[in-house]
Amino acid sequence: MIPPFPKDETLNSLLERTASYCFGSSLQLECLRLLNRTGAFLDTLPTSISSVCHVFSYAFGDEDSILSKHTLFDFFACGLAPERAAEFRRRLIKETRGPLRPARLPLYFNSSEQECLHCVDCDDFNLKKRGFIFAYRQHCAPFVHVCPWHRTPLFPAEGKFRLYDHQCRSRHRGSKLLVHEFAERSAECIGNNWHSSKYHRLDLLRQLADRRWIDEHGRCALSGLLKVFHKKFDDAFDDERLRLLCSATRYAEAALRALLRTDRNLHPVWCVLFRWIADDTENTVHNSSPTARKRERERHSHSELSEQLDVLRQSTSIRQAAELLGKSPYTLITVARRHGLHVGRRPKRIFGPDREQIAHCLCSGIPAGQVAAMCRVSLSTVYRIAASSGEVQALSAAKRSEQRLQTARSIWLDMLRRHPTLTAKAMRSQCPAEWTYLYRHDREWLAKHSPRRLQLPKSRKTAQPEQLLVLAAKSLSAAVEKCEAAEKAPIRGSAYRMQALTGLSEYALLHFQSRREDRERIFPESHVAFVRRRVTWLRAMTIHETPMPMWRFAKRAGVRLSSLTSITSDEQHHAVAGAIEAPWKQYHPQSDFFSQNLEF
C-alpha cells in the first residue's frame, strides 16, 4: 500500500509516517532503507529524489514534481543564476553525499533544520479531513515562526524547541505585522515556480531598476538602499539571528553586492527582504554617475546651442537675439564667431597686432591674468579673444595641462626624496591635489614612481557576533546539564548529541570548540569519560546492593562489556585507578570478586 502524499508535505514527514506503520522502525531506518541515506537532519532539501520515485513507482509524479511540491528547491533556486539552478536540480535528483545547500548564511545565523514545526489550526484541519497530520514545507522556511495562513505560532512536534533556537527566539518580540508578512512572503516564494517567481534574482534586479535603485549603467544606490533597509528592518523581527542579520551593515552590503554579481549565489532570505524593499520604497534621490551627469549636460548644451544658432540666423541683430534668448550679447557674439556666422562688429581699440600677441601668449600657456597684465587689457577681453578662436583655446588648454602635469610630477618626486620611508597612502595624504591630478592624467607614471606596497599579514577571520556566541554558549551549557542530570542515567555528550539538542550546525560546533576562551569546555565527551560517568552513576545507585557479575553490571550501566573491561584494563588502569580502586575495588578485574564471580 502506498501512503498518501499531500502537496506541500515534506519528504521526511512522509517517511516518518511510513515508519509509524512498521513496528520498530524510525525515520533514520526508513531513510537508510528507502533512500540509502544515513542521516535525517536535512529535511527541506533531501537528495536521492530519483530513489524516491523508484521506491514508490512514480506514484507521486516524476522528480520535478516532487522537487516543486515537496521540497524548498524553488525557494533556494531564486537566489541562483539559471545555469546554476540546473546544476542544483541535477545534484538533488541523484545520490549526493553530504549537505547540499547552494547558499548559506553566516555561521551562527543558520536556523535549525532538524525539526518540523506545526500549526495547531493546520493540524486540526488535516486531522478532520485526512485523518493524519503532517509537516508543511512552508513551516520549515528559515526564520518563519508563525503560520502564513492562520498567523498562529508554530511549535515543534516534540513540544520543545532546540536549545539554540529557543535562546534566539526568546530575546525580542519584534513587530507582529512584519513577522506575519515575512512568513507570508516566504510562503509565496516557496509556492511559486522559480522561473516565474518575483523573488528570483533576475526579476528582483528589474524591480530595483524600475524603482530607480539601479541606474541604466547597472550601478546601485548602495548607501541610500542600505539606509532604507535598516530603517525598515532594524529590530523588526523576533529572532535574534534575523535581527542581527538586518541590523549589521556588512551583511546587507555583502548580500547586495552578491545580488549584482552573476558569479555569486544569494540566500533566499535576502531575496525576500530585498523584494520587500523594492515593492514598498522608491529611490527619490537622483542617482547617476559623474560620467552620466556629464553626458546629460552635454546633451542639454547641444540642444541649447542649436536653439541659439537658429535664433541668430533669424534675428536681425545680436541685441534682438539676446532679448529673445535671455542671454548676454557678448555670449551670443562668441557663439556666432565660433560657428562662422556674420556679426556686425563695433569698432574696437584692439587691432590685429595686439590680438595676435594676446593669442600667442595664450598659446604659450601663460595664464589669462598674466596675459591681461602684460598686454594691458581687461581680463574679459582676453577671455573673449580666447573663446573666439577654437584653436587658440585648445592650444592654451593643452599647454596649461602640460605645465600642470610637470609641476605635479616635480612636487611628487620632491616628496619622495624628502620622505623615502612613507607608504603610498601616506604620500597621498601629504599631497592630495598632486596625487589626484596624476592619477587622472598620468596613472602609469604615478604607479611607477610610487612606493611599493608592503606585504600585509593575512587578514583575520571574520569575527562572529558576540550576542550569538553568548546564546550558543548558553544553549551548549544547557545541553551539557541535560547530559549530566543526576536524576537519570548519564547521556554521552557527543557531537551528534550536542547538535541534536542545540540545533547548531556541525561547523558552528567546531568553531565554538576551537575558540581559545572555550577550550576548557570538554565537549564532545570522549567514550572513556562517558563510560566512567555511567559506572560512577550505577555504583551510586547500587551502593547498598550485593555484588553482581560483570556482565550484569555492564548491562545495568548501559555500556558494552568490552567498554567496561577496557577502562579497567592494566593499560588504562592509571587513568581510572582513583575512581575505581578506592570506591568499588571488588569490581576491579584483579580483585577476588572478579576471580570468583565472573560469568561470561
Side-chain angles (χ1 to χ4, degrees):
M1 182 185 70
I2 298 178
F5 197 16
K7 183 183 177 182
D8 295 327
E9 182 183 9
T10 61
L11 184 59
N12 272 20
S13 178
L14 170 68
L15 297 180
E16 192 171 8
R17 188 153 38 84
T18 305
S20 65
Y21 302 150
C22 304
F23 179 76
S25 184
S26 64
L27 176 61
Q28 284 78 7
L29 294 178
E30 291 298 318
C31 288
L32 183 62
R33 183 174 65 90
L34 299 178
L35 306 180
N36 195 22
R37 288 194 293 142
T38 57
F41 275 172
L42 299 178
D43 176 73
T44 55
L45 282 177
T47 57
S48 305
I49 300 299
S50 59
S51 300
V52 177
C53 297
H54 178 72
V55 167
F56 292 102
S57 303
Y58 289 86
F60 306 134
D62 58 358
E63 291 85 353
D64 291 325
S65 177
I66 293 180
L67 283 176
S68 61
K69 294 180 181 179
H70 303 284
T71 68
L72 295 188
F73 168 72
D74 292 320
F75 185 62
F76 279 88
C78 286
L80 307 179
E83 58 275 6
R84 294 195 174 190
E87 175 63 20
F88 180 44
R89 170 190 171 276
R90 186 187 66 83
R91 295 183 64 189
L92 283 175
I93 290 177
K94 72 173 188 177
E95 296 183 4
T96 305
R97 297 186 61 183
L100 187 57
R101 289 294 181 270
R104 292 182 181 272
L105 294 173
L107 189 58
Y108 288 92
F109 289 88
N110 290 291
S111 58
S112 175
E113 299 175 352
Q114 303 173 16
E115 60 184 355
C116 298
L117 301 181
H118 292 262
C119 168
V120 176
D121 295 334
C122 293
D123 288 352
D124 291 342
F125 173 78
N126 290 323
L127 199 59
K128 293 178 182 179
K129 182 179 179 180
R130 299 184 173 91
F132 60 90
I133 62 176
F134 59 87
Y136 285 90
R137 56 177 179 158
Q138 286 83 354
H139 296 166
C140 300
F143 308 121
V144 172
H145 301 159
V146 296
C147 178
W149 306 294
H150 303 104
R151 295 192 171 188
T152 54
L154 302 178
F155 64 93
E158 299 176 358
K160 294 182 179 180
F161 289 100
R162 307 290 178 179
L163 295 174
Y164 184 61
D165 291 342
H166 177 70
Q167 291 285 344
C168 292
R169 295 181 186 184
S170 60
R171 304 292 294 178
H172 298 275
R173 300 192 61 177
S175 172
K176 289 186 176 180
L177 292 177
L178 296 182
V179 170
H180 294 162
E181 187 170 356
F182 179 79
E184 293 171 358
R185 286 181 175 273
S186 298
E188 182 183 5
C189 182
I190 294 171
N192 295 329
N193 189 281
W194 68 274
H195 291 284
S196 58
S197 176
K198 70 176 186 178
Y199 296 96
H200 191 263
R201 60 184 304 155
L202 299 180
D203 195 85
L204 177 57
L205 288 173
R206 287 192 292 267
Q207 180 68 9
L208 288 174
D210 293 340
R211 292 290 184 168
R212 298 195 299 177
W213 289 114
I214 300 178
D215 63 8
E216 64 274 9
H217 303 288
R219 296 182 179 91
C220 179
L222 193 62
S223 59
L225 186 56
L226 288 175
K227 184 177 180 181
V228 173
F229 183 87
H230 291 309
K231 183 178 179 180
K232 185 176 183 64
F233 293 133
D234 278 0
D235 297 326
F237 300 105
D238 57 347
D239 194 294
E240 182 72 8
R241 294 163 293 189
L242 186 57
R243 189 189 70 83
L244 289 176
L245 202 64
C246 296
S247 300
T249 304
R250 59 171 178 163
Y251 298 125
E253 182 178 352
L256 277 174
R257 295 186 184 278
L259 174 64
L260 298 174
R261 294 180 56 175
T262 57
D263 59 337
R264 294 289 181 88
N265 297 342
L266 190 66
H267 197 275
V269 170
W270 291 116
C271 296
V272 173
L273 295 175
F274 290 150
R275 181 68 194 204
W276 197 344
I277 288 292
D279 290 343
D280 293 351
T281 61
E282 183 176 0
N283 187 16
T284 57
V285 181
H286 183 69
N287 176 41
S288 60
S289 63
T291 305
R293 290 195 293 268
K294 182 179 178 181
R295 291 176 180 173
E296 186 175 353
R297 287 196 302 268
E298 290 176 353
R299 288 193 297 268
H300 180 71
S301 62
H302 288 324
S303 60
E304 185 179 3
L305 179 61
S306 61
E307 182 183 1
Q308 291 175 0
L309 292 176
D310 293 339
V311 173
L312 283 171
R313 292 188 183 98
Q314 298 173 4
S315 301
T316 57
S317 65
I318 293 293
R319 188 172 296 278
Q320 181 184 4
E323 292 177 356
L324 291 175
L325 295 172
K327 300 287 184 179
S328 66
Y330 304 103
T331 303
L332 294 182
I333 289 174
T334 304
V335 172
R337 287 176 178 173
R338 184 180 296 176
H339 291 83
L341 297 179
H342 175 72
V343 177
R345 301 179 180 178
R346 294 186 294 117
K348 303 288 183 180
R349 290 183 296 178
I350 302 177
F351 299 101
D354 296 333
R355 185 181 295 274
E356 292 178 0
Q357 182 184 2
I358 294 173
H360 177 72
C361 293
L362 290 174
C363 292
S364 301
I366 302 175
Q370 296 182 16
V371 173
M374 291 168 53
C375 300
R376 296 182 179 181
V377 294
S378 65
L379 188 60
S380 60
T381 302
V382 176
Y383 286 140
R384 187 166 57 249
I385 293 174
S388 62
S389 176
E391 184 180 358
V392 171
Q393 193 174 13
L395 290 174
S396 176
K399 195 67 178 180
R400 290 198 308 271
S401 177
E402 181 65 25
Q403 292 177 355
R404 180 72 178 89
L405 184 63
Q406 295 298 331
T407 304
R409 284 179 176 179
S410 61
I411 294 175
W412 184 262
L413 293 175
D414 183 62
M415 287 293 296
L416 286 176
R417 285 191 296 268
R418 287 190 294 164
H419 306 284
T421 59
L422 289 181
T423 61
K425 188 173 182 180
M427 285 285 297
R428 174 182 176 180
S429 63
Q430 291 290 332
C431 42
E434 287 73 17
W435 182 91
T436 303
Y437 193 85
L438 291 172
Y439 184 81
R440 291 177 177 175
H441 299 89
D442 201 354
R443 190 174 300 183
E444 294 183 0
W445 185 92
L446 179 63
K448 185 178 180 181
H449 294 83
S450 293
R452 295 184 62 184
R453 291 183 176 272
L454 299 177
Q455 188 67 25
L456 299 177
K458 294 183 179 180
S459 59
R460 296 182 178 180
K461 294 182 179 179
T462 305
Q464 301 297 330
E466 191 63 29
Q467 299 95 319
L468 296 185
L469 290 176
V470 171
L471 297 180
K474 289 182 178 179
S475 60
L476 286 171
S477 299
V480 172
E481 291 178 1
K482 281 192 174 184
C483 294
E484 297 176 352
E487 64 273 7
K488 60 181 180 180
I491 303 174
R492 184 186 175 188
S494 60
Y496 175 89
R497 183 66 59 184
M498 293 292 109
Q499 187 179 356
L501 290 175
T502 61
L504 289 168
S505 64
E506 180 182 358
Y507 306 106
L509 287 176
L510 292 175
H511 175 269
F512 196 86
Q513 186 181 0
S514 64
R515 294 175 69 232
R516 184 170 301 175
E517 57 269 24
D518 293 309
R519 286 182 180 176
E520 295 182 358
R521 184 183 299 276
I522 305 175
F523 77 86
E525 185 182 22
S526 64
H527 179 69
V528 174
F530 164 66
V531 174
R532 189 184 306 160
R533 284 201 301 120
R534 276 292 179 104
V535 170
T536 305
W537 166 77
L538 184 58
R539 175 57 185 166
M541 297 292 293
T542 61
I543 190 66
H544 300 295
E545 298 182 11
T546 58
M548 63 187 73
M550 189 175 182
W551 63 267
R552 185 175 297 170
F553 187 88
K555 183 177 181 180
R556 292 189 60 177
V559 297
R560 294 187 179 94
L561 185 61
S562 57
S563 300
L564 188 60
T565 55
S566 66
I567 69 164
T568 56
S569 61
D570 293 335
E571 291 78 3
Q572 298 183 356
H573 179 263
H574 63 279
V576 295
I580 290 182
E581 201 169 58
W584 52 92
K585 187 177 181 179
Q586 64 272 26
Y587 293 102
H588 195 276
Q590 296 178 354
S591 64
D592 296 336
F593 168 77
F594 279 117
S595 63
Q596 298 176 4
N597 297 284
L598 285 181
E599 299 178 8
F600 295 101

